[in-house]
Structures are given as structure tokens and as C-alpha cells.
Amino acid sequence: MALHTPVRLMLTKYKALMPIIQKTPKDPYDAILKQLLVELVELRETIEVHAKQRLQKYQTSYHAGLFSKSARNLAHYLAMRQFDLRHLQDRLAQAGLSSLGRSESCVLSTFDALIEVLKRATDKSYQSIGMNPSENGFNQGHQLLEQHTIALFGSFHDHSKAHVMVTLGTDASWDYALVSALLEKGMTCARINCAHDDPVVWQEMIGNVRRAETEMARPCRVLMDLAGHKIRTGAITLGPAVHRIKVQKDRTGTVIAPGYLILTSQVNPTTDTDSLFRVTIPKRLHKKLGPKMVLSFIDTRKRQRYLQVEKALSDTDWLVSCQQTAYLTSDCAMQLLLDQSDTQKTIGKFNLGEFSGDPLEIRVFKGDALLLTAEHILGKPAEYNADGELTHPAQIGCTLSSAINKLKVGQPVWIDDGKLGAVVEDVNKKGALLRVTQAKASGVCINSDKGINFPETDLELPPLSQKDLIDLDFACAHADLVGFSFVESQQDMELLMAELAKRNAAELPIIAKIETNRAVKNLPDIILGTIGRYNLGIMIARGDLAVELGSARLAEIQEELLWLCEAAHVPVIWATQVLESIAKKGTRSRPEFTDAAMAVRAECVMLNKGPYILDAIEALVNVMSRMHEHQRKKFSRLRALQW
């Protein structure tokens, strides 16, 4: 049979049947059904031929060359979706028949069911062969997807149908109570990001997860997520070693809360961005301090200021307060007093320890120039002469210095999850000169260690970095799943599978993270070349995809990825910024709840770490449990409404 484009075939046959329809006034509906039957039979045959042609290149990826039901169904789905079926869909719906719009998990069974109904309706002498369409694929597709989901993430907790993955923070290595609470709230998979911490910390994290599993009788898989080639902004030039102690004032300027800092006897104190500023003092002074004592000093503006000792926070730390705004310098001279009212009674004199200044602010606006340099060159803001003319553009380093020479004029560059967009204007020995094209009106402040994306540049990087290969040793020995960052092709998958085989971990399931435009285009190839040999899951990394594709395109693509994976019976992880406001700040955002409700169409949803992560898990499980009553994938279950 010669193959024709189904749409052209449909129109040709429809025109041929028009005289018949016009000559059959008694039952024009019968002619319409007969036309639909012809088109569906022809389309089914075409799909089978095209699917067989696609599968031939993957023969060696399947045991004894026999394709799995999931592989065949994906090939059928891809063959069906190469045609525009909108006109056929409308006519099926007008005829009161089930459409092809929910055929992902069972393509041929959907066609067979429709064809069976149409044959019965148009031919009274038709004798069914007795095949039950549901036994031939409808239920089987859902069952295969559920089996594959359980193989990856284990059984569900209680009666919930929600698999929740949580990224563990460093505190999960020592805080067993936190880990057990995560499992209690509904975590079924713990994610360890290999871009952070080290094997010692990872081992402690996994130990706490395994202990909680045993004590609570709740299964929890561990995903070790390989970092991949992290391309980030470099270090920034530090400003003067001055710390501003800021008090809080009301609208009238009256101080309503003092400024605080911590004096510590630790040698190398660290200050997190969310905690109070810490500065060292001599140990001999630390022993003399007590509540209500006062430290007198002169700040950078030559103003007399006082720090009052509030309380001891630990054996090494004292909390102190200041009732006035002050600018504290590194190595500042201080006097210890019993009381601020009597400045003559000095108990002792000393100097604060040295501390580093804050990084200079690099703020750029739309239309500004930005120089992207090698990693070893410190970032700094733009420089101007006395007349206000630009003498040197703002600059920032790139941790992958080799990427700069691969850039071409006109290619886009995105920084900090798309907050800053730019285009390459020139590449020279100094670096790549970018022109900012996307930035909010108030400008974008560029910080160090922020992601850089080059969506149209082939960086020619190996799929696995040297760090990935080292981390893979640990993952093969301790993890239940391995995450493959920035995978882009079946060749990349082959490399990872070969490395797993070297480590006697050929059965370790793989989570392929779809983060780039190239990965989206090659996803059918990635799936068909892998599912014959490995348990596979797909993570939709929406953050990086939004940068690569744009937010509007992402909304479309994430739908297509869900459909494709359902056709392959491959579980999907819905990732990036799910209920982020709750996890990070404890606040609830209505758009985020809508997003979480959408996530129910995936098999697993990932939450990022945060101080309110327990609240986020509880909210997510609640939303998913409710939505599962109404919807399964694209299929509305029509549960009774409560009105």
C-alpha cells in the first residue's frame, strides 16, 4: 500500500464520500461514521509502518532484539504525533466519540477501541472477534507506568499516591530529627546534590535516611545527583573592610530596635548570609565579658559609639547590640567598660580581629556593556572618569574560562537563572564583551557563584566531568538512583552506562535531567536507547529549561515532555521552585499552589531545601492527594463535586 500523508488522505476520502452523504438523506450520520472509520484504519496502518522504521535503529538496545511494550508504544505515539490531527479530533468529538487526546499510554488500543465502535455502528452484520480493548492496552499502559514508578521510588506512604523528593541540606548530616520528620511528612526520595558538601557529609546524610527508614518503617530512596559542568560567575573584588551596624527606626526616626553582631573567640569565624555578622576578639577579652558591660570605640566617621554585651550564645560567642548606626572597621581599637555612664573606668583595651570587606556591587542595566573574563580575573563594577564617561565596563569572571573563546558574536548569554540576559558583541583577548538586553528597570546586581547559560553555544564539554567520575564511585556504592545532569544525547547515556558497568552497578537506575534545548530535541532518542537496558526516570529541570527556551516556550515544552514520557511509561520528576515561597520564607503564594496542582501529572515532585521545608511537604502532599481524586494525567476522573 502506498503511503500518503494522513491529512491529505482524509480530505481525499472525505470528498469522495460527499456524493454518498448527499444521496443518503435518511442517515447522513452513518456516512460520517463510515468516513471516520476509513480514516482511522488508514492512519493506524501508517502509524505502525512508521513506528517499525523508527525502532529498527535501536534493535541492539533490547534483550534478544525484542522491543518492550513501552518502546513500541512510544514509537507509535511519535508516529501519530508527526501529523496534525486537529481536524480529525474535532470530528470525533462532534460524533460523540472518545478522542485521541488521551492515547499517550496506549496508542494502538485507543485506535482499536474507536475502530471497534465504528464497525459496530456502521455494519449491523459485523461480528466482533471478542477482544477486550482494556485488556489489550488501556489498563496495561497505566499498570506499566505504575510498576516503573514503584521500581524507581518504592511504594507510596500510607494511602497517598504522592512521591515527594526533597533536596537535603548540610544540616541533614547531623540533624536526625529533621530527617525523620521529612519522612514522617511524606518524603519518599532524598536528593543529595553532589555540587555541594563532600563524601563525609553525604555519608552522614545517607546514614540518617537509612536509620529513619528502619525506625519508621517507611521506605525512602536516595538520589545522588551528579553536578555536571557547573558554569558560574567568579569571585568579585572586595570593598573596604567596613561593617555597617544598622539600627531599626520608625517613621519619625526614633530607634525602635538596636543593631546586633556577634563577638567570637573562634579563629576563623564564618558568616552565613542569613545570620548575624561575626568578628573575632582576643580570648583573654572573651573571658572578661559579661552581660551589661560596654565596649567603646570610634567608628569610621569619627563618632563615638558603644556596644552593649547582651548575653552569651555559646562558649565562644557573645551577642552585643548598638543603639546607633555605626561603621565598624577591621582591627578597630576598643575599650571595655563596666558602664557607659562612667567612661573613666576602663577594664581593658584591645583591637578587633581582621575581617574582609563585602564584594563590590556590580549593578548593570539594560543597554550596559559587561565584560565576561577568565575565572582568575576578579569581577568589578564599571569605571568612569571625572566627566562621567565610561572608561571600563563592568566585568565578571566565568568559572569555565574555555567557554569564552567558543562564543560567537550574536549569541545569547544568561546569568543567574535568567535574571540577566545579554548578547555577545565582541570576543577578544580580554574576554567576551556582552551587551545587556534583559534586566529589570532597577538593574540587576551580579553576585559570585551564579549560574551562566550559553544556550546557542556548543562548549564541546564531555558528558561527565572529572568530579562526576569521582562522585560516581560514591553513588554506585551508596545510592539507589543516580542523576545525570546536562545529558543531551543517547551518546551521553552510553557513556554513563559504560561507567556504571565499570563499577559493577549496571542495575543502578538513571534519572536523566532534561535541562537544555538539545536534550529536549533528543529525548525520544534518549528514552528509546535506554529503557531496553535500564530503569529510567526523567527530571524536567524547569529552571534551566526556562533560561534555554524562554518561559513561554517552557509552558508548552513541559506539556510535551509529560506526554512523551507517559507514552514510554517512564516516570517523571517535576522539579524547580515548587512551593518555593513556603520552603524558603514560610509564606504562601497562590500561583505556586496552582503550579503544585499542575505537578500532580508527574510521578514525583521535587522540593528544594529551606528552613520551612516541613511545611512545604505537608502542603504539597495535601494538594497532590486532593488533585489525584480529580485527575490522572490528562484524564479527568469526574469525582462528585461538593456543591
Side-chain angles (χ1 to χ4, degrees):
M1 181 190 74
L3 297 180
H4 301 277
T5 303
V7 174
R8 187 183 307 157
L9 180 65
M10 294 171 195
L11 292 174
T12 301
K13 290 186 175 291
Y14 188 73
K15 289 178 181 178
L17 280 175
M18 282 302 295
I20 299 176
I21 296 173
Q22 293 169 354
K23 292 178 182 179
T24 316
K26 292 183 179 179
D27 192 2
Y29 186 66
D30 184 63
I32 294 173
L33 296 183
K34 286 180 178 179
Q35 170 62 23
L36 288 172
L37 175 60
V38 170
E39 293 179 18
L40 287 171
V41 170
E42 293 285 353
L43 181 56
R44 188 191 189 286
E45 292 175 357
T46 302
I47 287 171
E48 281 210 272
V49 172
H50 286 193
K52 288 178 181 177
Q53 293 173 347
R54 179 184 289 272
L55 286 173
Q56 286 177 356
K57 64 178 287 192
Y58 305 102
Q59 197 86 34
T60 58
S61 297
Y62 293 80
H63 181 66
L66 299 175
F67 296 106
S68 66
K69 294 176 181 177
S70 298
R72 291 200 303 271
N73 189 71
L74 175 58
H76 291 142
Y77 183 72
L78 291 168
M80 181 182 74
R81 292 305 304 267
Q82 67 182 303
F83 304 118
D84 188 342
L85 302 177
R86 286 176 291 182
H87 184 58
L88 176 60
Q89 281 282 81
D90 290 341
R91 288 160 53 220
L92 285 170
Q94 290 166 6
L97 296 172
S98 176
S99 72
L100 300 171
R102 293 190 293 269
S103 63
E104 281 80 9
S105 66
C106 47
V107 176
L108 292 189
S109 293
T110 302
F111 274 88
D112 290 341
L114 279 170
I115 291 170
E116 178 76 10
V117 169
L118 288 169
K119 284 182 177 179
R120 288 173 180 266
T122 57
D123 186 356
K124 294 182 179 179
S125 64
Y126 172 72
Q127 295 293 322
S128 173
I129 59 176
M131 180 182 297
N132 185 343
S134 66
E135 295 176 355
N136 193 34
F138 284 115
N139 293 336
Q140 190 177 73
H142 297 306
Q143 289 168 358
L144 284 171
L145 179 55
E146 186 167 343
Q147 290 171 12
H148 297 161
T149 300
I150 293 174
L152 283 184
F153 304 115
S155 57
F156 296 100
H157 287 182
D158 301 324
H159 300 291
S160 169
K161 285 290 183 180
H163 274 301
V164 178
M165 177 184 294
V166 179
T167 301
L168 299 182
T170 307
D171 50 354
S173 65
W174 53 263
D175 191 350
Y176 171 72
L178 170 63
V179 176
S180 61
L182 291 173
L183 265 71
E184 178 66 32
K185 291 291 186 180
M187 178 178 73
T188 57
C189 185
R191 173 177 175 259
I192 296 175
N193 188 352
C194 294
H196 303 290
D197 303 312
D198 55 53
V200 174
V201 175
W202 302 338
Q203 185 69 70
E204 295 295 330
M205 290 178 178
I206 294 173
N208 282 334
V209 172
R210 299 305 185 209
R211 176 186 166 190
E213 272 189 300
T214 302
E215 293 183 358
M216 303 176 65
R218 285 175 174 259
C220 183
R221 299 295 166 89
V222 173
L223 166 69
M224 294 292 298
D225 201 341
L226 301 178
H229 296 277
K230 291 294 184 182
I231 308 174
R232 296 186 174 274
T233 53
I236 297 173
T237 303
L238 299 179
V242 176
H243 172 69
R244 182 190 181 193
I245 305 174
K246 186 178 181 180
V247 300
Q248 295 184 38
K249 298 181 180 180
D250 63 14
R251 296 172 64 182
T252 65
T254 303
V255 175
I256 57 175
Y260 293 96
L261 68 152
I262 296 173
L263 303 181
T264 180
S265 59
Q266 293 181 18
V267 178
N268 295 307
T270 58
T271 299
D272 296 328
T273 55
D274 296 329
S275 62
L276 293 176
F277 180 75
R278 299 159 66 89
V279 61
T280 57
I281 57 174
K283 289 185 178 180
R284 58 181 176 78
L285 173 68
H286 183 274
K287 295 178 181 179
K288 294 181 180 180
L289 292 181
K292 305 300 182 183
M293 287 186 175
V294 173
L295 298 164
S296 170
F297 68 99
I298 304 296
D299 78 352
T300 59
R301 300 171 300 169
K302 308 300 181 183
R303 295 180 180 177
Q304 181 73 55
R305 291 292 183 260
Y306 300 94
L307 298 176
Q308 178 170 299
V309 181
E310 298 289 343
K311 62 180 179 179
L313 299 178
S314 67
D315 293 339
T316 59
D317 295 349
W318 284 95
L319 179 68
V320 299
S321 64
C322 186
Q323 294 292 333
Q324 295 174 289
T325 298
Y327 291 83
L328 197 64
T329 60
S330 181
D331 200 35
C332 176
M334 289 204 166
Q335 298 182 53
L336 177 60
L337 311 173
L338 280 176
D339 192 317
Q340 183 175 330
S341 62
D342 190 354
T343 58
Q344 302 301 316
K345 295 183 179 180
T346 301
I347 300 176
K349 297 181 180 180
F350 67 97
N351 289 75
L352 290 179
E354 294 187 357
F355 55 85
S356 300
D358 295 327
L360 296 176
E361 181 180 275
I362 304 176
R363 183 174 293 273
V364 293
F365 298 83
K366 184 176 181 179
D368 283 355
L370 175 65
L371 184 64
L372 191 65
T373 69
E375 180 181 14
H376 68 276
I377 300 177
L378 294 177
K380 61 181 181 180
E383 297 175 359
Y384 300 86
N385 61 20
D387 297 326
E389 298 174 338
L390 180 69
T391 58
H392 193 285
Q395 67 182 45
I396 189 67
C398 174
T399 56
L400 186 69
S401 302
S402 61
I404 296 174
N405 294 327
K406 293 182 171 59
L407 292 174
K408 296 179 181 178
V409 173
Q411 289 182 331
V413 178
W414 295 92
I415 299 176
D416 195 3
D417 289 335
K419 292 183 178 67
L420 176 68
V423 65
V424 179
E425 275 197 352
D426 185 35
V427 179
N428 53 50
K429 61 181 181 180
K430 293 182 179 179
L433 183 64
L434 312 178
R435 184 66 58 181
V436 178
T437 57
Q438 297 286 334
K440 58 185 180 182
S442 58
V444 174
C445 186
I446 304 174
N447 297 313
S448 61
D449 200 36
K450 297 299 180 181
I452 307 178
N453 292 78
F454 305 102
E456 295 181 11
T457 306
D458 185 2
L459 300 178
E460 301 177 356
L461 299 172
L464 296 168
S465 68
Q466 287 301 312
K467 181 182 186 308
D468 290 338
L469 294 173
I470 295 171
D471 294 343
L472 194 58
D473 294 335
F474 183 93
C476 289
H478 300 93
D480 302 305
L481 310 162
V482 60
F484 193 179
S485 296
F486 301 105
V487 57
E488 292 191 326
S489 67
Q490 176 55 25
Q491 289 70 33
D492 294 349
M493 295 294 292
E494 293 289 347
L495 177 62
L496 176 59
M497 288 187 277
E499 293 295 337
L500 291 174
K502 288 180 185 178
R503 294 162 174 79
N504 296 318
E507 301 300 320
L508 187 63
I510 299 172
I511 303 297
K513 298 173 62 180
I514 306 304
E515 302 174 85
T516 66
N517 190 25
R518 188 165 175 242
V520 170
K521 293 178 180 178
N522 291 332
L523 184 57
D525 196 41
I526 290 171
I527 293 176
L528 285 172
T530 305
I531 57 176
R533 293 176 282 175
Y534 275 82
N535 285 335
L536 177 68
I538 296 296
M539 179 183 287
I540 304 179
R542 300 184 299 160
D544 285 290
L545 277 179
V547 174
E548 289 267 332
L549 306 172
S551 298
R553 176 71 174 135
L554 173 64
E556 178 184 18
I557 284 296
Q558 66 187 18
E559 285 286 300
E560 296 179 12
L561 297 181
L562 285 168
W563 300 338
L564 206 66
C565 291
E566 184 182 358
H569 311 135
V570 170
V572 172
I573 301 169
W574 184 273
T576 311
Q577 294 182 330
V578 178
L579 297 182
E580 192 88 344
S581 295
I582 296 182
K584 298 292 187 185
K585 302 177 182 178
T587 59
R588 294 175 178 253
S589 163
R590 281 174 290 181
E592 287 183 349
F593 272 90
T594 302
D595 180 59
M598 174 76 174
V600 74
R601 292 170 56 188
E603 283 62 54
C604 180
V605 182
M606 190 186 93
L607 295 173
N608 214 337
K609 58 191 175 183
Y612 304 97
I613 185 61
L614 296 177
D615 294 337
I617 296 177
E618 186 174 15
L620 178 62
V621 172
N622 189 355
V623 170
M624 292 181 71
S625 297
R626 290 175 180 273
M627 290 305 299
H628 273 130
E629 295 293 318
H630 293 284
Q631 186 171 335
R632 180 178 64 196
K633 292 294 185 179
K634 291 194 298 182
F635 184 78
S636 178
R637 304 179 68 187
L638 297 182
R639 193 200 78 174
L641 298 179
Q642 300 305 308
W643 295 330

